[in-house]
Amino acid sequence: MNKTIGVMGCGWLGLPLAERLLEKGFMVKGSTTSEDKLQILGEAGIQPFFLKAETSGIEGDLTGFLNGLYCLILNIPPGLRTGPSGSYLSKLSYLIKAFKHAGLPRLIYVSSTAVYGNTQGLITEKVPAIPEDAKGRELLEAEKLLLSLQGTHTQVLRLGGLIGQERHPAYQLSGKKIRSGGNDAINLIHRSDAILAILSLMEQPFEASIFNAVSPEHPRKRDYYATEAIKRGLKPPLYQDTPGPVSGKIINSAIFGAAGIHFSKSLYSDESF
């Protein structure tokens, strides 16, 4: 296979994704904001690029990175999602200009289910996104800008909260007293299933442009985070509201399921810590 894929943002999700693409026979270009990580990418077989987005422009060889790509997976690292309101879109504007100039054929934008805000009930891709905070609003605006790119086939992947063995909300929530939300459903996805979702978008002839990717497991927060904290030897968080049935929003990955693609990695850790 001689198609070249670009992974912009080879971090906790992007690096194993790039390695999986290599295993499948693709040539891969990968970007990082850390010059120290260039050697790691190169040793993995990834063509490394230092790229850093600033409000004043893009530092690094963005033209060389985009040249010859069949598909770009835009997995913007957390650094681009911090800072003053509007800074993320300001940085993204330089990328969009470069995409247009390069004539990018395909784009997969890794977004977040945060764009749904506090909407309650079953959430499919057909439910309007109504973000409640600045991060969600900027992500939704970024989706719109990227979907409007002329000549580029853009697909947006809205991931639930990402977890893996060494990355889990139980660490941040340990011992905290939380006033409400104990009965709310969790909407998480394991990193391996997030990678499956991205690969499926590349390989399947989906007609849709927006996709949710969330595990089918939706236990109550009070139950799930207590269980996972105890496994890790942590003090469980204490939800102070009254226990009740599962409530809140349940995000459904309807399009993937209809295509026979199922996220099967359990959110419950099967190892001791």
Side-chain angles (χ1 to χ4, degrees), residues 169-178 225 229 233-238:
Y171 293 105
Q172 288 74 44
L173 296 174
S174 175
K176 290 185 176 180
K177 293 183 178 180
I178 305 172
Y225 290 129
L234 303 171
K235 187 176 180 179
L238 176 61

Side-chain angles (χ1 to χ4, degrees), residues 65-121:
F65 177 77
L66 295 175
N67 184 45
L69 291 187
Y70 160 70
C71 178
L72 171 64
I73 299 165
L74 182 54
N75 177 43
I76 298 175
L80 281 178
R81 296 182 183 178
T82 59
S85 179
S87 62
Y88 177 62
L89 293 175
S90 176
K91 297 170 184 178
L92 187 64
S93 67
Y94 293 103
L95 294 177
I96 290 174
K97 183 177 180 180
F99 298 163
K100 292 178 179 178
H101 182 74
L104 186 65
R106 290 198 63 188
L107 172 65
I108 296 173
Y109 176 51
V110 180
S111 185
S112 167
T113 55
V115 298
Y116 291 114
N118 293 324
T119 304
Q120 304 292 292

